[in-house]
Amino acid sequence: ERDGYEHYMLKEINEQPNALDRTVSGRIGNDGSVSLSSFPPGTFADVRDVQFVACGTSYHAAMYAREHLIEMGVPAYTFRAGEYATAPAPADEDTLVVAVTQSGETADTLQSVRHARDAGARTLAVTNVVGSTASRECDDALFIRAGPEIGVAATKTFSSQVAALSLLGERLVEDVTGEPSPDRAERGAALRRLPADVQRVLEDSPVAKLADEYRGRDAYFFIGRGVGHPVALEGALKFKEITYEHAEGFGSAELKHGPLALVTEDTPVVAVFDGRHGEKALANVEEVRARGAPVIAVAGEGSRKVREIADEFLPVPDTHPDATGVLANVQLQLVSYHVADLLGRAIDKPRNLAKSVTVE
Ligand code: M6R
Protein backbone atom coordinates (compact mmCIF):
# COMPACT_ATOMS: atom_id res chain seq x y z
CA GLU A 1 0.00 0.00 0.00
CA ARG A 2 2.86 2.30 0.78
CA ASP A 3 4.55 1.19 -2.46
CA GLY A 4 7.74 0.30 -0.62
CA TYR A 5 7.99 3.64 1.19
CA GLU A 6 8.54 3.47 4.93
CA HIS A 7 5.86 6.08 5.56
CA TYR A 8 2.82 7.45 3.79
CA MET A 9 4.29 10.90 4.23
CA LEU A 10 7.33 10.03 2.14
CA LYS A 11 5.13 8.31 -0.44
CA GLU A 12 2.91 11.37 -0.64
CA ILE A 13 5.88 13.73 -0.89
CA ASN A 14 7.06 11.68 -3.84
CA GLU A 15 3.60 11.67 -5.39
CA GLN A 16 3.65 15.44 -5.80
CA PRO A 17 4.71 15.50 -9.46
CA ASN A 18 1.71 13.30 -10.34
CA ALA A 19 -0.65 15.14 -8.03
CA LEU A 20 0.36 18.49 -9.52
CA ASP A 21 0.01 17.11 -13.00
CA ARG A 22 -3.59 16.21 -12.24
CA THR A 23 -4.22 19.58 -10.60
CA VAL A 24 -3.16 21.61 -13.61
CA SER A 25 -3.82 19.24 -16.49
CA GLY A 26 -6.17 20.67 -19.09
CA ARG A 27 -6.56 23.84 -17.07
CA ILE A 28 -3.84 26.12 -18.57
CA GLY A 29 -3.48 27.26 -22.18
CA ASN A 30 -0.16 27.92 -23.91
CA ASP A 31 -0.60 31.64 -23.31
CA GLY A 32 -1.18 31.06 -19.60
CA SER A 33 -4.94 31.48 -19.93
CA VAL A 34 -6.92 29.49 -17.40
CA SER A 35 -9.79 27.18 -18.24
CA LEU A 36 -11.73 25.92 -15.27
CA SER A 37 -14.86 24.22 -16.55
CA SER A 38 -17.12 25.39 -13.71
CA PHE A 39 -15.72 28.91 -13.82
CA PRO A 40 -15.76 30.36 -17.35
CA PRO A 41 -14.45 33.90 -17.91
CA GLY A 42 -16.74 36.43 -16.26
CA THR A 43 -17.84 34.07 -13.46
CA PHE A 44 -16.46 36.41 -10.83
CA ALA A 45 -17.15 39.75 -12.53
CA ASP A 46 -19.32 40.87 -9.59
CA VAL A 47 -16.77 40.06 -6.93
CA ARG A 48 -15.43 43.08 -5.01
CA ASP A 49 -13.26 41.34 -2.43
CA VAL A 50 -12.08 37.87 -1.52
CA GLN A 51 -11.92 36.39 1.98
CA PHE A 52 -10.03 33.14 2.46
CA VAL A 53 -10.94 31.01 5.48
CA ALA A 54 -8.82 27.99 6.37
CA CYS A 55 -6.85 26.20 9.09
CA GLY A 56 -3.27 24.98 9.42
CA THR A 57 -1.57 24.01 6.19
CA SER A 58 -4.58 25.09 4.17
CA TYR A 59 -4.32 28.53 5.76
CA HIS A 60 -0.75 28.75 4.50
CA ALA A 61 -1.92 27.86 0.98
CA ALA A 62 -4.47 30.67 1.28
CA MET A 63 -1.79 33.16 2.37
CA TYR A 64 0.25 32.07 -0.63
CA ALA A 65 -2.70 32.67 -2.98
CA ARG A 66 -3.36 36.09 -1.53
CA GLU A 67 0.05 37.36 -2.62
CA HIS A 68 -0.86 37.26 -6.30
CA LEU A 69 -4.31 38.78 -5.81
CA ILE A 70 -3.17 41.79 -3.84
CA GLU A 71 -0.28 42.37 -6.19
CA MET A 72 -2.79 42.54 -9.05
CA GLY A 73 -5.09 44.88 -7.14
CA VAL A 74 -7.78 42.39 -6.07
CA PRO A 75 -8.66 43.06 -2.43
CA ALA A 76 -8.04 39.75 -0.65
CA TYR A 77 -7.80 38.81 3.01
CA THR A 78 -6.90 35.63 4.85
CA PHE A 79 -8.60 34.53 8.06
CA ARG A 80 -7.83 31.63 10.33
CA ALA A 81 -11.13 29.81 10.32
CA GLY A 82 -10.96 29.18 14.06
CA GLU A 83 -11.13 32.93 14.56
CA TYR A 84 -13.54 33.71 11.74
CA ALA A 85 -15.93 31.12 13.13
CA THR A 86 -16.36 33.17 16.29
CA ALA A 87 -15.68 36.65 14.90
CA PRO A 88 -16.55 36.68 11.20
CA ALA A 89 -15.38 39.61 9.08
CA PRO A 90 -18.01 41.82 7.49
CA ALA A 91 -19.10 40.33 4.16
CA ASP A 92 -21.95 40.86 1.71
CA GLU A 93 -23.10 39.62 -1.68
CA ASP A 94 -20.06 41.16 -3.38
CA THR A 95 -17.68 39.15 -1.21
CA LEU A 96 -16.36 35.81 -2.35
CA VAL A 97 -15.53 33.62 0.63
CA VAL A 98 -13.11 30.87 -0.34
CA ALA A 99 -12.89 27.94 2.07
CA VAL A 100 -9.58 26.16 1.56
CA THR A 101 -9.87 22.70 3.08
CA GLN A 102 -8.24 19.50 1.95
CA SER A 103 -10.76 17.25 3.70
CA GLY A 104 -13.75 19.54 3.33
CA GLU A 105 -14.74 18.51 6.86
CA THR A 106 -12.85 20.89 9.17
CA ALA A 107 -15.40 22.18 11.67
CA ASP A 108 -14.04 25.72 12.00
CA THR A 109 -13.87 26.13 8.25
CA LEU A 110 -17.43 24.86 7.78
CA GLN A 111 -18.67 27.15 10.53
CA SER A 112 -16.96 30.09 8.81
CA VAL A 113 -18.69 29.21 5.55
CA ARG A 114 -22.05 29.14 7.30
CA HIS A 115 -21.47 32.64 8.70
CA ALA A 116 -20.48 33.87 5.26
CA ARG A 117 -23.56 32.36 3.68
CA ASP A 118 -25.77 33.95 6.34
CA ALA A 119 -24.18 37.32 5.52
CA GLY A 120 -25.16 36.82 1.88
CA ALA A 121 -21.64 36.21 0.58
CA ARG A 122 -20.88 33.89 -2.28
CA THR A 123 -19.00 30.78 -1.10
CA LEU A 124 -16.51 28.56 -2.87
CA ALA A 125 -14.79 25.42 -1.52
CA VAL A 126 -11.29 24.56 -2.70
CA THR A 127 -11.03 20.95 -1.61
CA ASN A 128 -9.57 17.55 -2.37
CA VAL A 129 -12.64 15.52 -1.51
CA VAL A 130 -15.53 15.26 -3.93
CA GLY A 131 -18.77 15.03 -1.98
CA SER A 132 -17.25 16.53 1.19
CA THR A 133 -19.40 18.74 3.40
CA ALA A 134 -17.60 21.89 2.21
CA SER A 135 -18.13 20.98 -1.43
CA ARG A 136 -21.84 20.39 -0.79
CA GLU A 137 -22.48 23.42 1.40
CA CYS A 138 -20.64 26.02 -0.67
CA ASP A 139 -22.16 27.59 -3.77
CA ASP A 140 -19.30 26.20 -5.86
CA ALA A 141 -16.34 23.86 -5.55
CA LEU A 142 -12.92 23.70 -7.16
CA PHE A 143 -11.28 20.29 -6.77
CA ILE A 144 -7.54 20.15 -6.33
CA ARG A 145 -7.29 16.52 -7.58
CA ALA A 146 -4.29 15.63 -5.40
CA GLY A 147 -5.53 12.09 -4.77
CA PRO A 148 -6.13 10.61 -1.29
CA GLU A 149 -3.74 11.74 1.44
CA ILE A 150 -3.31 9.30 4.33
CA GLY A 151 -0.48 10.88 6.38
CA VAL A 152 -1.71 13.30 9.02
CA ALA A 153 0.90 15.79 7.81
CA ALA A 154 -0.46 17.53 4.72
CA THR A 155 2.12 17.47 1.92
CA LYS A 156 0.89 16.87 -1.60
CA THR A 157 -2.38 18.59 -0.83
CA PHE A 158 -0.54 21.81 0.02
CA SER A 159 1.21 21.81 -3.36
CA SER A 160 -2.02 21.05 -5.20
CA GLN A 161 -3.91 23.68 -3.22
CA VAL A 162 -1.36 26.31 -4.18
CA ALA A 163 -1.52 25.28 -7.85
CA ALA A 164 -5.32 25.19 -7.92
CA LEU A 165 -5.52 28.53 -6.11
CA SER A 166 -3.11 29.99 -8.61
CA LEU A 167 -5.50 29.04 -11.42
CA LEU A 168 -8.45 30.43 -9.50
CA GLY A 169 -6.40 33.54 -8.76
CA GLU A 170 -5.79 34.25 -12.42
CA ARG A 171 -9.51 33.82 -13.17
CA LEU A 172 -10.30 36.27 -10.35
CA VAL A 173 -7.71 38.81 -11.51
CA GLU A 174 -9.13 38.78 -15.03
CA ASP A 175 -12.76 38.93 -13.93
CA VAL A 176 -12.32 41.54 -11.19
CA THR A 177 -9.82 43.86 -12.87
CA GLY A 178 -10.74 43.17 -16.50
CA GLU A 179 -7.10 42.47 -17.40
CA PRO A 180 -4.94 39.35 -17.28
CA SER A 181 -1.87 39.44 -15.05
CA PRO A 182 0.95 41.03 -17.09
CA ASP A 183 3.10 37.94 -16.52
CA ARG A 184 0.29 35.48 -17.17
CA ALA A 185 2.24 33.52 -19.79
CA GLU A 186 5.28 33.11 -17.50
CA ARG A 187 3.12 32.11 -14.55
CA GLY A 188 1.28 29.58 -16.68
CA ALA A 189 4.50 28.14 -18.07
CA ALA A 190 5.92 27.84 -14.56
CA LEU A 191 2.79 26.00 -13.38
CA ARG A 192 2.95 23.62 -16.31
CA ARG A 193 6.61 22.95 -15.54
CA LEU A 194 5.97 22.53 -11.81
CA PRO A 195 5.53 18.72 -11.82
CA ALA A 196 8.89 18.28 -13.57
CA ASP A 197 10.56 20.88 -11.34
CA VAL A 198 9.26 19.14 -8.21
CA GLN A 199 10.59 15.87 -9.59
CA ARG A 200 14.04 17.44 -9.91
CA VAL A 201 13.94 18.67 -6.32
CA LEU A 202 12.99 15.18 -5.15
CA GLU A 203 15.78 13.55 -7.14
CA ASP A 204 18.55 16.00 -6.24
CA SER A 205 17.71 17.05 -2.68
CA PRO A 206 20.72 17.00 -0.34
CA VAL A 207 18.48 17.00 2.74
CA ALA A 208 18.75 13.31 3.70
CA LYS A 209 22.52 13.78 4.12
CA LEU A 210 22.21 16.95 6.19
CA ALA A 211 19.50 16.03 8.66
CA ASP A 212 21.82 14.38 11.18
CA GLU A 213 23.95 17.48 11.58
CA TYR A 214 21.01 19.65 12.61
CA ARG A 215 18.95 17.43 14.86
CA GLY A 216 18.77 17.98 18.60
CA ARG A 217 19.12 21.79 18.67
CA ASP A 218 17.33 24.21 21.03
CA ALA A 219 14.80 25.43 18.49
CA TYR A 220 14.33 25.92 14.77
CA PHE A 221 13.22 29.11 13.06
CA PHE A 222 11.82 29.44 9.58
CA ILE A 223 11.71 32.85 7.89
CA GLY A 224 10.70 34.22 4.51
CA ARG A 225 9.20 37.13 2.57
CA GLY A 226 6.52 37.20 -0.10
CA VAL A 227 5.38 33.64 -0.79
CA GLY A 228 8.40 32.66 1.29
CA HIS A 229 6.42 33.79 4.35
CA PRO A 230 3.61 31.20 4.11
CA VAL A 231 6.21 28.61 3.14
CA ALA A 232 8.21 29.47 6.28
CA LEU A 233 5.07 29.07 8.40
CA GLU A 234 4.28 25.80 6.68
CA GLY A 235 7.87 24.55 7.14
CA ALA A 236 7.69 25.28 10.86
CA LEU A 237 4.25 23.71 11.25
CA LYS A 238 5.37 20.51 9.55
CA PHE A 239 8.59 20.45 11.56
CA LYS A 240 6.90 20.76 14.95
CA GLU A 241 4.10 18.41 13.96
CA ILE A 242 6.27 15.44 13.11
CA THR A 243 9.62 16.00 14.88
CA TYR A 244 8.12 17.33 18.16
CA GLU A 245 10.99 19.82 18.23
CA HIS A 246 10.29 23.47 18.93
CA ALA A 247 9.92 25.33 15.65
CA GLU A 248 8.51 28.74 14.78
CA GLY A 249 7.84 30.42 11.49
CA PHE A 250 7.97 34.20 10.99
CA GLY A 251 7.67 36.70 8.24
CA SER A 252 11.27 37.93 7.95
CA ALA A 253 10.06 41.46 8.62
CA GLU A 254 8.91 40.41 12.11
CA LEU A 255 12.32 39.18 13.23
CA LYS A 256 13.52 42.45 14.69
CA HIS A 257 10.28 42.96 16.59
CA GLY A 258 10.90 40.15 19.05
CA PRO A 259 11.90 36.72 17.76
CA LEU A 260 15.50 37.80 17.18
CA ALA A 261 15.98 37.68 20.95
CA LEU A 262 15.77 33.89 20.76
CA VAL A 263 18.36 33.48 18.01
CA THR A 264 21.67 31.89 19.11
CA GLU A 265 24.26 29.52 17.67
CA ASP A 266 21.99 26.66 18.72
CA THR A 267 18.93 27.78 16.74
CA PRO A 268 19.22 26.87 13.08
CA VAL A 269 17.39 29.36 10.87
CA VAL A 270 15.82 28.10 7.68
CA ALA A 271 15.48 31.02 5.25
CA VAL A 272 13.14 30.73 2.27
CA PHE A 273 13.93 32.94 -0.73
CA ASP A 274 11.15 33.45 -3.25
CA GLY A 275 13.38 35.13 -5.82
CA ARG A 276 11.61 38.45 -5.45
CA HIS A 277 12.80 40.12 -2.27
CA GLY A 278 16.54 39.48 -2.65
CA GLU A 279 18.23 42.37 -0.85
CA LYS A 280 15.89 42.57 2.12
CA ALA A 281 15.84 38.81 2.55
CA LEU A 282 19.63 38.71 2.49
CA ALA A 283 19.76 41.46 5.13
CA ASN A 284 17.53 39.34 7.38
CA VAL A 285 19.87 36.41 6.97
CA GLU A 286 22.82 38.64 7.94
CA GLU A 287 20.96 39.58 11.12
CA VAL A 288 20.65 35.99 12.28
CA ARG A 289 24.17 35.09 11.17
CA ALA A 290 25.51 37.93 13.28
CA ARG A 291 23.99 36.10 16.29
CA GLY A 292 25.82 32.93 15.28
CA ALA A 293 22.81 31.01 13.99
CA PRO A 294 23.48 28.38 11.35
CA VAL A 295 21.58 29.35 8.19
CA ILE A 296 19.95 26.82 5.91
CA ALA A 297 18.82 28.68 2.80
CA VAL A 298 16.32 27.48 0.24
CA ALA A 299 16.50 29.41 -3.02
CA GLY A 300 16.72 29.23 -6.79
CA GLU A 301 19.86 27.38 -7.85
CA GLY A 302 21.17 30.50 -9.59
CA SER A 303 21.08 32.61 -6.41
CA ARG A 304 24.82 33.09 -6.08
CA LYS A 305 24.73 35.51 -3.13
CA VAL A 306 22.44 33.28 -1.11
CA ARG A 307 24.65 30.29 -1.80
CA GLU A 308 27.67 32.24 -0.52
CA ILE A 309 26.09 33.47 2.66
CA ALA A 310 24.38 30.26 3.80
CA ASP A 311 25.87 27.41 5.81
CA GLU A 312 23.71 25.00 3.85
CA PHE A 313 22.09 25.65 0.50
CA LEU A 314 19.01 23.76 -0.65
CA PRO A 315 18.59 24.65 -4.33
CA VAL A 316 15.39 24.58 -6.34
CA PRO A 317 15.07 25.05 -10.11
CA ASP A 318 14.97 28.71 -11.13
CA THR A 319 11.41 29.57 -12.11
CA HIS A 320 8.67 32.17 -11.66
CA PRO A 321 8.57 33.36 -8.01
CA ASP A 322 4.99 32.07 -7.61
CA ALA A 323 6.23 28.54 -8.25
CA THR A 324 9.47 28.91 -6.28
CA GLY A 325 7.61 28.68 -2.97
CA VAL A 326 6.10 25.31 -3.83
CA LEU A 327 9.53 23.97 -4.75
CA ALA A 328 11.10 25.40 -1.61
CA ASN A 329 8.34 23.79 0.42
CA VAL A 330 9.23 20.38 -0.99
CA GLN A 331 12.75 20.80 0.41
CA LEU A 332 11.24 21.76 3.77
CA GLN A 333 8.94 18.71 3.73
CA LEU A 334 12.07 16.60 3.31
CA VAL A 335 13.83 18.43 6.16
CA SER A 336 10.95 17.63 8.51
CA TYR A 337 10.64 14.08 7.27
CA HIS A 338 14.31 13.17 7.60
CA VAL A 339 14.79 14.80 11.00
CA ALA A 340 11.64 13.07 12.31
CA ASP A 341 12.81 9.76 10.86
CA LEU A 342 16.21 10.05 12.57
CA LEU A 343 14.40 10.78 15.84
CA GLY A 344 12.19 7.72 15.35
CA ARG A 345 8.92 9.65 15.46
CA ALA A 346 5.49 8.29 14.50
CA ILE A 347 5.58 10.22 11.26
CA ASP A 348 2.23 9.24 9.79
CA LYS A 349 0.31 9.57 13.05
CA PRO A 350 1.90 12.26 15.19
CA ARG A 351 0.77 12.29 18.80
CA ASN A 352 -2.34 14.29 19.73
CA LEU A 353 -3.26 15.07 16.12
CA ALA A 354 -6.04 13.91 13.78
CA LYS A 355 -6.15 14.05 10.00
CA SER A 356 -9.26 16.12 10.05
CA VAL A 357 -10.47 18.24 12.93
CA THR A 358 -14.22 17.87 13.05
CA VAL A 359 -14.83 19.67 16.34
CA GLU A 360 -14.62 23.42 16.88
O1 M6R B 1 -8.70 19.33 5.88
P1 M6R B 1 -8.23 20.75 6.07
O2 M6R B 1 -7.39 21.23 4.95
O3 M6R B 1 -9.34 21.69 6.37
O4 M6R B 1 -7.32 20.67 7.37
C1 M6R B 1 -6.83 21.82 7.98
C2 M6R B 1 -5.72 21.50 8.95
O5 M6R B 1 -6.21 20.74 10.02
C3 M6R B 1 -4.57 20.74 8.28
O6 M6R B 1 -4.09 21.46 7.18
C4 M6R B 1 -3.41 20.50 9.25
O7 M6R B 1 -2.84 21.70 9.66
C5 M6R B 1 -2.37 19.62 8.55
N1 M6R B 1 -2.74 18.24 8.63
C6 M6R B 1 -1.00 19.80 9.07
O8 M6R B 1 -0.08 19.03 8.37
Side-chain angles (χ1 to χ4, degrees), residues 31-54:
D31 57 354
S33 58
V34 167
S35 57
L36 295 168
S37 49
S38 309
F39 309 105
T43 303
F44 300 114
D46 295 336
V47 169
R48 180 197 56 225
D49 60 329
V50 180
Q51 297 180 352
F52 292 100
V53 292

mmCIF file of all heavy atoms in Angstrom, residues 31-54:
data_model
loop_
_atom_site.group_PDB
_atom_site.id
_atom_site.type_symbol
_atom_site.label_atom_id
_atom_site.label_comp_id
_atom_site.label_asym_id
_atom_site.label_seq_id
_atom_site.Cartn_x
_atom_site.Cartn_y
_atom_site.Cartn_z
ATOM 1 N N ASP A 31 -0.837 30.236 -23.622
ATOM 2 C CA ASP A 31 -0.599 31.642 -23.309
ATOM 3 C C ASP A 31 -0.822 31.941 -21.822
ATOM 4 O O ASP A 31 -0.864 33.096 -21.414
ATOM 5 C CB ASP A 31 -1.533 32.523 -24.154
ATOM 6 C CG ASP A 31 -3.005 32.151 -23.933
ATOM 7 O OD1 ASP A 31 -3.269 31.151 -23.212
ATOM 8 O OD2 ASP A 31 -3.877 32.862 -24.466
ATOM 9 N N GLY A 32 -0.969 30.879 -21.039
ATOM 10 C CA GLY A 32 -1.181 31.065 -19.602
ATOM 11 C C GLY A 32 -2.633 31.278 -19.237
ATOM 12 O O GLY A 32 -2.976 31.432 -18.056
ATOM 13 N N SER A 33 -3.521 31.277 -20.237
ATOM 14 C CA SER A 33 -4.939 31.476 -19.928
ATOM 15 C C SER A 33 -5.463 30.258 -19.166
ATOM 16 O O SER A 33 -4.984 29.139 -19.346
ATOM 17 C CB SER A 33 -5.746 31.677 -21.215
ATOM 18 O OG SER A 33 -5.563 30.545 -22.040
ATOM 19 N N VAL A 34 -6.424 30.521 -18.307
ATOM 20 C CA VAL A 34 -6.923 29.490 -17.404
ATOM 21 C C VAL A 34 -8.259 28.992 -17.904
ATOM 22 O O VAL A 34 -9.127 29.783 -18.263
ATOM 23 C CB VAL A 34 -7.081 30.117 -16.000
ATOM 24 C CG1 VAL A 34 -7.890 29.226 -15.080
ATOM 25 C CG2 VAL A 34 -5.710 30.406 -15.397
ATOM 26 N N SER A 35 -8.432 27.660 -17.972
ATOM 27 C CA SER A 35 -9.790 27.181 -18.240
ATOM 28 C C SER A 35 -10.231 26.213 -17.151
ATOM 29 O O SER A 35 -9.708 25.112 -17.009
ATOM 30 C CB SER A 35 -9.914 26.571 -19.643
ATOM 31 O OG SER A 35 -9.000 25.540 -19.804
ATOM 32 N N LEU A 36 -11.145 26.709 -16.357
ATOM 33 C CA LEU A 36 -11.733 25.922 -15.272
ATOM 34 C C LEU A 36 -13.193 25.723 -15.666
ATOM 35 O O LEU A 36 -13.946 26.690 -15.756
ATOM 36 C CB LEU A 36 -11.642 26.696 -13.946
ATOM 37 C CG LEU A 36 -10.227 26.964 -13.418
ATOM 38 C CD1 LEU A 36 -10.251 27.972 -12.276
ATOM 39 C CD2 LEU A 36 -9.574 25.658 -12.975
ATOM 40 N N SER A 37 -13.565 24.449 -15.896
ATOM 41 C CA SER A 37 -14.861 24.220 -16.547
ATOM 42 C C SER A 37 -16.036 24.847 -15.793
ATOM 43 O O SER A 37 -16.951 25.383 -16.409
ATOM 44 C CB SER A 37 -15.086 22.727 -16.766
ATOM 45 O OG SER A 37 -14.829 22.041 -15.574
ATOM 46 N N SER A 38 -15.985 24.822 -14.457
ATOM 47 C CA SER A 38 -17.119 25.388 -13.713
ATOM 48 C C SER A 38 -17.052 26.911 -13.614
ATOM 49 O O SER A 38 -17.996 27.538 -13.125
ATOM 50 C CB SER A 38 -17.169 24.835 -12.297
ATOM 51 O OG SER A 38 -17.094 23.448 -12.333
ATOM 52 N N PHE A 39 -15.907 27.471 -14.003
ATOM 53 C CA PHE A 39 -15.719 28.915 -13.815
ATOM 54 C C PHE A 39 -15.261 29.579 -15.109
ATOM 55 O O PHE A 39 -14.095 29.974 -15.243
ATOM 56 C CB PHE A 39 -14.698 29.167 -12.697
ATOM 57 C CG PHE A 39 -15.012 28.420 -11.431
ATOM 58 C CD1 PHE A 39 -14.270 27.300 -11.076
ATOM 59 C CD2 PHE A 39 -16.054 28.809 -10.607
ATOM 60 C CE1 PHE A 39 -14.562 26.587 -9.915
ATOM 61 C CE2 PHE A 39 -16.363 28.104 -9.449
ATOM 62 C CZ PHE A 39 -15.618 26.989 -9.102
ATOM 63 N N PRO A 40 -16.145 29.702 -16.098
ATOM 64 C CA PRO A 40 -15.756 30.359 -17.351
ATOM 65 C C PRO A 40 -15.447 31.834 -17.113
ATOM 66 O O PRO A 40 -15.827 32.398 -16.077
ATOM 67 C CB PRO A 40 -17.002 30.194 -18.226
ATOM 68 C CG PRO A 40 -18.129 29.948 -17.287
ATOM 69 C CD PRO A 40 -17.544 29.282 -16.073
ATOM 70 N N PRO A 41 -14.754 32.480 -18.065
ATOM 71 C CA PRO A 41 -14.448 33.903 -17.908
ATOM 72 C C PRO A 41 -15.721 34.685 -17.570
ATOM 73 O O PRO A 41 -16.788 34.417 -18.122
ATOM 74 C CB PRO A 41 -13.898 34.299 -19.280
ATOM 75 C CG PRO A 41 -13.327 33.025 -19.832
ATOM 76 C CD PRO A 41 -14.212 31.930 -19.313
ATOM 77 N N GLY A 42 -15.593 35.613 -16.651
ATOM 78 C CA GLY A 42 -16.739 36.432 -16.261
ATOM 79 C C GLY A 42 -17.475 35.914 -15.027
ATOM 80 O O GLY A 42 -18.282 36.626 -14.426
ATOM 81 N N THR A 43 -17.163 34.673 -14.614
ATOM 82 C CA THR A 43 -17.841 34.071 -13.463
ATOM 83 C C THR A 43 -17.799 34.983 -12.234
ATOM 84 O O THR A 43 -18.749 35.057 -11.465
ATOM 85 C CB THR A 43 -17.174 32.723 -13.087
ATOM 86 O OG1 THR A 43 -17.194 31.876 -14.217
ATOM 87 C CG2 THR A 43 -17.875 32.052 -11.925
ATOM 88 N N PHE A 44 -16.648 35.640 -12.072
ATOM 89 C CA PHE A 44 -16.464 36.412 -10.832
ATOM 90 C C PHE A 44 -16.501 37.928 -11.086
ATOM 91 O O PHE A 44 -15.958 38.709 -10.313
ATOM 92 C CB PHE A 44 -15.140 36.012 -10.168
ATOM 93 C CG PHE A 44 -15.068 34.558 -9.811
ATOM 94 C CD1 PHE A 44 -14.168 33.703 -10.443
ATOM 95 C CD2 PHE A 44 -15.918 34.028 -8.846
ATOM 96 C CE1 PHE A 44 -14.108 32.356 -10.120
ATOM 97 C CE2 PHE A 44 -15.864 32.681 -8.507
ATOM 98 C CZ PHE A 44 -14.962 31.842 -9.147
ATOM 99 N N ALA A 45 -17.145 38.326 -12.170
ATOM 100 C CA ALA A 45 -17.148 39.749 -12.530
ATOM 101 C C ALA A 45 -17.761 40.619 -11.435
ATOM 102 O O ALA A 45 -17.408 41.794 -11.306
ATOM 103 C CB ALA A 45 -17.888 39.940 -13.851
ATOM 104 N N ASP A 46 -18.662 40.065 -10.633
ATOM 105 C CA ASP A 46 -19.316 40.871 -9.593
ATOM 106 C C ASP A 46 -18.574 40.866 -8.256
ATOM 107 O O ASP A 46 -19.049 41.469 -7.285
ATOM 108 C CB ASP A 46 -20.738 40.344 -9.330
ATOM 109 C CG ASP A 46 -21.618 40.534 -10.557
ATOM 110 O OD1 ASP A 46 -21.305 41.439 -11.367
ATOM 111 O OD2 ASP A 46 -22.582 39.766 -10.709
ATOM 112 N N VAL A 47 -17.467 40.161 -8.210
ATOM 113 C CA VAL A 47 -16.770 40.057 -6.926
ATOM 114 C C VAL A 47 -16.008 41.353 -6.640
ATOM 115 O O VAL A 47 -15.298 41.864 -7.507
ATOM 116 C CB VAL A 47 -15.802 38.848 -6.931
ATOM 117 C CG1 VAL A 47 -14.882 38.878 -5.720
ATOM 118 C CG2 VAL A 47 -16.593 37.546 -6.969
ATOM 119 N N ARG A 48 -16.163 41.869 -5.401
ATOM 120 C CA ARG A 48 -15.428 43.080 -5.007
ATOM 121 C C ARG A 48 -14.207 42.721 -4.172
ATOM 122 O O ARG A 48 -13.141 43.294 -4.307
ATOM 123 C CB ARG A 48 -16.358 43.988 -4.191
ATOM 124 C CG ARG A 48 -15.723 45.292 -3.720
ATOM 125 C CD ARG A 48 -16.555 45.927 -2.599
ATOM 126 N NE ARG A 48 -16.711 44.988 -1.515
ATOM 127 C CZ ARG A 48 -17.863 44.748 -0.875
ATOM 128 N NH1 ARG A 48 -18.960 45.409 -1.181
ATOM 129 N NH2 ARG A 48 -17.920 43.839 0.087
ATOM 130 N N ASP A 49 -14.380 41.743 -3.282
ATOM 131 C CA ASP A 49 -13.261 41.341 -2.434
ATOM 132 C C ASP A 49 -13.353 39.856 -2.126
ATOM 133 O O ASP A 49 -14.412 39.245 -2.224
ATOM 134 C CB ASP A 49 -13.215 42.173 -1.144
ATOM 135 C CG ASP A 49 -14.474 42.030 -0.296
ATOM 136 O OD1 ASP A 49 -15.565 41.825 -0.874
ATOM 137 O OD2 ASP A 49 -14.375 42.100 0.939
ATOM 138 N N VAL A 50 -12.188 39.310 -1.756
ATOM 139 C CA VAL A 50 -12.079 37.870 -1.516
ATOM 140 C C VAL A 50 -11.636 37.652 -0.073
ATOM 141 O O VAL A 50 -10.693 38.296 0.387
ATOM 142 C CB VAL A 50 -11.042 37.240 -2.472
ATOM 143 C CG1 VAL A 50 -10.925 35.726 -2.232
ATOM 144 C CG2 VAL A 50 -11.403 37.525 -3.930
ATOM 145 N N GLN A 51 -12.335 36.766 0.627
ATOM 146 C CA GLN A 51 -11.922 36.385 1.984
ATOM 147 C C GLN A 51 -11.616 34.895 1.978
ATOM 148 O O GLN A 51 -12.487 34.083 1.648
ATOM 149 C CB GLN A 51 -13.045 36.670 2.999
ATOM 150 C CG GLN A 51 -13.394 38.144 3.123
ATOM 151 C CD GLN A 51 -14.501 38.392 4.141
ATOM 152 O OE1 GLN A 51 -15.122 37.465 4.670
ATOM 153 N NE2 GLN A 51 -14.776 39.667 4.401
ATOM 154 N N PHE A 52 -10.384 34.546 2.330
ATOM 155 C CA PHE A 52 -10.032 33.140 2.461
ATOM 156 C C PHE A 52 -10.221 32.725 3.915
ATOM 157 O O PHE A 52 -9.787 33.441 4.821
ATOM 158 C CB PHE A 52 -8.563 32.907 2.108
ATOM 159 C CG PHE A 52 -8.234 33.125 0.653
ATOM 160 C CD1 PHE A 52 -7.644 34.303 0.228
ATOM 161 C CD2 PHE A 52 -8.492 32.131 -0.288
ATOM 162 C CE1 PHE A 52 -7.315 34.498 -1.110
ATOM 163 C CE2 PHE A 52 -8.166 32.317 -1.626
ATOM 164 C CZ PHE A 52 -7.579 33.495 -2.041
ATOM 165 N N VAL A 53 -10.844 31.570 4.120
ATOM 166 C CA VAL A 53 -10.939 31.010 5.478
ATOM 167 C C VAL A 53 -10.362 29.595 5.443
ATOM 168 O O VAL A 53 -10.669 28.812 4.539
ATOM 169 C CB VAL A 53 -12.399 30.994 6.008
ATOM 170 C CG1 VAL A 53 -12.907 32.399 6.249
ATOM 171 C CG2 VAL A 53 -13.336 30.241 5.077
ATOM 172 N N ALA A 54 -9.500 29.288 6.400
ATOM 173 C CA ALA A 54 -8.817 27.992 6.370
ATOM 174 C C ALA A 54 -8.065 27.780 7.674
ATOM 175 O O ALA A 54 -7.877 28.724 8.455
ATOM 176 C CB ALA A 54 -7.831 27.945 5.201
#
